[in-house]
Amino acid sequence: MHRKTGTAALLLLTAAIVSACSGGAGMNGQTSKGGDQPDQAPATTPYSKLNQPLELTYYLNAGGYSQDAFMKGVGKALKEKFPNVTFKVYWRDKGTMLADLIASGTSIDIINASSGTVADLVELGLGQDISDLIASNRYDLSKLEPMAVEGMRKLSGGKLYGLPVQVSTTALFYNKDLFDKFGVAYPKDNMSWDEVYELAKKLTRTDGGNTYKGFGVSFSHLALMNQYAQELIDPKTEKAVLNNDNWRKIFNNVARFYQIPGNQPTIDELNSPSTAFNKNKNVAMMAMIGGSSFPPETTNWDVVSLPMLPEAKGVGSAPYSTYYAVPNTSKHRDEAFQVISWLTSEEYQQTLIDQGFIPVLKNKQYKEQMGKNVPALKGKHVDGVVPDQYASPITISPYMNLATAPLYAAFNSVALGEKDVSTALREAEEKANLDIAAKKAASK
């Protein structure tokens, strides 16, 4: 996910962070506030282990990366802060998949993975609890957004394999030109889904031979960060849980927009939803990811919070986090943790905030500062992407992809009018569980 703002430096920073905040890194050596963190003597300085020559191995669990991209992004900030530390960088590519490096005996010190790829730590047996490092470094975990931390705890059965450094959300973007063209008032924060539905009906029309659609959605992001905190995989049974009331509510809520006469989608619009909004510019509103990516400058856009559910007022999107983990292959655990702790420090997080990224700091005062150094974001309601209250994140599972594929296909079939919601969800759950069983059998 890359932000398209016309700012080269911003693109590079995005590439370094999202494969996918000032958490206290103990910048002032203050006592930890976490109730489960024992009282231990602090290190001599917050980053004392990084004052000597050292090489750390850094892995980005995503493709299309390079050592050069790393050094122009997060690597540049790390090198300026820790000039004695050299980073050897790997990423997903032929021969350098995580499994390949583990098989070759490569010692990896830091793994950068998004909510969508961090389950590889569990599947490959790389997870290692860093609670001891949190305690010995007097790290103040309470400064981080709790829901982002919870995402890692759910992955690891209550442990922490790493720390969140940045988050993304789902928000409601809108094309101001279309609202102006048809004389409709702009959306506002904390609108209900019903209110947005009424707006969509007003903006779905044909004018001058051109067709305009009121609403579109990036369903994959909406599902992964759903407001019900509805799981894809039951963490206890490791079976897909798709055929239930919450998923029926999610499907029905969104599918009704595609039943508005004139707003029916094509399969291309469902599979590549942002194209119609960013390129074709014929969609008035789009529920899609924000905080790590924004529409291009060529679109006259703005953004407000994700619409509210009547049974969960005030609850927005769950966070989609970028995590930095210290795997059990690391020979430099203390040093790797101190690098990660600095990435959650106010010093580094402020640079993300200035560029328009959502910080992992729970202090909401940072919302007002987001994007102040990005000309393309000037005058935008960028902080609309940060909900007043995050929904609880779903459990990240090694089997999640086996559930998402049939779930997304099921939604497409409903949106296109090919199947009813109950049938689509029942068939999706059956397929997911057959695939999960087959994967388990193959691994024995």
Side-chain angles (χ1 to χ4, degrees):
M1 298 174 285
H2 297 297
R3 173 173 313 163
K4 299 179 181 178
T5 60
T7 305
L10 181 57
L11 286 170
L12 291 167
L13 182 59
T14 306
I17 295 174
V18 180
S19 21
C21 289
S22 169
M27 290 291 290
N28 54 7
Q30 64 185 21
T31 302
S32 167
K33 298 177 183 177
D36 59 347
Q37 300 170 18
D39 188 20
Q40 296 187 14
T44 305
T45 67
Y47 313 113
S48 58
K49 299 284 187 178
L50 305 175
N51 294 332
Q52 54 194 356
L54 173 70
E55 181 180 85
L56 295 177
T57 302
Y58 173 102
Y59 189 87
L60 177 67
N61 201 20
Y65 203 49
S66 67
Q67 181 85 35
D68 184 57
F70 171 79
M71 289 309 303
K72 288 180 179 177
V74 66
K76 181 177 184 292
L78 288 171
K79 195 63 179 177
E80 289 175 353
K81 180 66 179 180
F82 307 115
N84 292 316
V85 182
T86 300
F87 292 88
K88 187 173 184 179
V89 180
Y90 294 97
W91 56 95
R92 279 186 173 184
D93 206 346
K94 185 177 180 180
T96 58
M97 301 296 286
L98 261 178
D100 297 328
L101 296 180
I102 300 308
S104 68
T106 302
S107 174
I108 304 172
D109 298 301
I110 296 171
I111 295 178
N112 172 355
S114 70
S115 292
T117 62
V118 73
D120 288 347
L121 270 74
V122 174
E123 188 164 9
L124 296 173
L126 298 175
Q128 185 172 58
D129 194 7
I130 60 171
S131 295
D132 60 324
L133 297 173
I134 289 172
S136 62
N137 283 272
R138 308 280 280 212
Y139 183 88
D140 185 5
L141 195 62
S142 71
K143 290 186 177 182
L144 303 184
E145 168 53 48
M147 290 298 100
V149 176
E150 182 181 340
M152 177 58 80
R153 288 201 185 280
K154 282 187 171 183
L155 168 72
S156 54
K159 300 176 183 178
L160 280 179
Y161 293 159
L163 299 175
V165 169
Q166 188 258 336
V167 299
S168 301
T169 64
T170 301
L172 185 68
F173 290 82
Y174 63 96
N175 185 320
K176 297 174 70 174
D177 288 341
L178 295 186
F179 277 82
D180 293 342
K181 179 180 179 67
F182 300 121
V184 179
Y186 298 150
K188 299 178 180 179
D189 286 333
N190 300 319
M191 294 181 74
S192 69
W193 278 102
D194 287 345
E195 289 173 320
V196 173
Y197 177 73
E198 293 303 319
L199 278 182
K201 289 196 292 185
K202 292 179 181 179
L203 290 154
T204 301
R205 59 177 74 190
T206 299
D207 183 84
N210 296 314
T211 299
Y212 298 95
K213 298 187 175 184
F215 179 86
V217 63
S218 175
F219 183 76
S220 61
H221 292 118
L222 192 73
L224 290 174
M225 297 179 265
N226 74 81
Q227 293 162 286
Y228 289 102
Q230 173 57 51
E231 300 284 7
L232 288 161
I233 303 292
D234 185 312
K236 294 181 180 179
T237 66
E238 294 187 328
K239 290 185 177 180
V241 283
L242 307 180
N243 188 21
N244 56 47
D245 286 343
N246 280 343
W247 281 118
R248 276 188 283 276
K249 289 178 183 178
I250 293 169
F251 269 46
N252 283 321
N253 179 47
V254 180
R256 61 174 168 159
F257 286 87
Y258 288 133
Q259 293 164 358
I260 296 172
N263 201 59
Q264 295 92 338
T266 65
I267 188 62
D268 288 340
E269 287 171 339
L270 292 171
N271 290 334
S272 184
S274 62
T275 299
F277 185 83
N278 293 334
K279 186 177 179 180
N280 301 340
K281 302 177 186 176
N282 65 335
V283 175
M285 295 180 288
M286 179 69 67
M288 60 184 181
I289 196 163
S292 59
S293 60
F294 289 108
E297 295 177 61
T298 52
T299 300
N300 185 19
W301 63 273
D302 213 330
V303 61
V304 295
S305 62
L306 192 67
M308 300 288 106
L309 295 167
E311 61 268 57
K313 292 182 179 179
V315 178
S317 163
Y320 187 91
S321 302
T322 296
Y323 294 103
Y324 279 68
V326 181
N328 56 20
T329 60
S330 176
K331 296 178 181 178
H332 304 285
R333 291 184 73 240
D334 288 309
E335 294 86 347
F337 177 80
Q338 290 189 359
V339 167
I340 293 172
S341 71
W342 181 73
L343 291 176
T344 64
S345 71
E346 184 173 353
E347 180 182 2
Y348 181 69
Q349 287 289 309
Q350 188 64 57
T351 67
L352 301 186
I353 294 164
D354 292 346
Q355 296 295 331
F357 294 102
I358 301 175
V360 78
L361 301 172
K362 70 179 182 182
N363 193 330
K364 294 295 190 271
Q365 71 178 16
Y366 293 106
K367 288 176 61 173
E368 300 174 1
Q369 304 172 24
M370 288 176 57
K372 68 180 183 181
N373 287 355
V374 183
L377 298 180
K378 186 177 181 180
K380 306 291 187 185
H381 181 47
V382 180
D383 59 338
V385 301
V386 184
D388 293 333
Q389 179 183 343
Y390 286 98
S392 178
I394 63 175
T395 303
I396 302 165
S397 165
Y399 304 108
M400 194 159 65
N401 289 341
L402 299 179
T404 56
L407 181 72
Y408 301 160
F411 176 77
N412 286 356
S413 69
V414 170
L416 294 169
E418 298 170 349
K419 294 180 183 178
D420 63 87
V421 171
S422 295
T423 300
L425 286 173
R426 185 186 71 251
E427 292 177 353
E429 182 174 281
E430 290 172 352
K431 175 170 175 45
N433 283 324
L434 285 173
D435 291 344
I436 290 170
K439 182 173 182 178
K440 287 183 175 182
S443 63
K444 290 181 180 179

